[in-house]
Amino acid sequence: MKVTRVVCLCAAAALLMLTAACGADPSSSAGDDPAALPPPESISESASGGFEVDAESTGGAETILIDGASVGEGNLSFALTITDEIGSELNVTVHTDRSNIGEALTDLGIIAGEEGVYGLYVKTVNGISLDFSQENEYWAFYVNGEYTADGPYRTEISDGSAYAFRVQH
């Protein structure tokens, strides 16, 4: 009888711990994770091949892309690859009438950041926000596979060129 009581108490304690963990506040740790997705209520499907989100939940970016999507409208198009902090790649085709990468991606809500002395410091790409001062990571910009110190606002769209943002440590 005593053994049964101990087993029941242990089972009840384990069940209590499990239910407490299930009820944990998800925002307590997700807010510290730059890869955390925005809350579901802030996401809606976009007609342009991605998902639109409330800009406050993604650091200013308004679109979350899906792999293989074709987004935007316009006479110019270019390939964009986004590589996150674990190396997962997302490839999309962007259509625009803008002449430079930065304007095209900002207009579509794919990138967001802060104005600095060198132009826009991109802090958010496809809903993933990075802060170098806290995480020691930033969004590096590449043209045809080569890192460029010129940001997206100083890069004209060139036919046949491929552009990329990659998390840099």
Side-chain angles (χ1 to χ4, degrees), residues 122-168:
V122 177
K123 295 182 93 172
T124 302
V125 176
N126 197 38
I128 301 172
S129 296
L130 301 175
D131 186 350
F132 186 78
S133 65
Q134 293 181 3
E135 292 124 9
N136 223 18
E137 297 177 325
Y138 66 96
W139 285 107
F141 182 59
Y142 291 78
V143 178
N144 296 323
E146 298 290 324
Y147 176 82
T148 179
D150 288 337
Y153 274 86
R154 293 184 179 175
T155 305
E156 297 295 313
I157 296 171
S158 178
D159 191 34
S161 290
Y163 305 96
F165 280 96
R166 298 180 192 155
V167 173
Q168 197 75 40

Side-chain angles (χ1 to χ4, degrees), residues 35-61:
L37 290 175
E41 63 273 7
S42 69
I43 302 174
S44 61
E45 194 162 353
S46 164
S48 64
F51 294 92
E52 294 180 355
V53 296
D54 173 18
E56 283 185 27
S57 64
T58 61

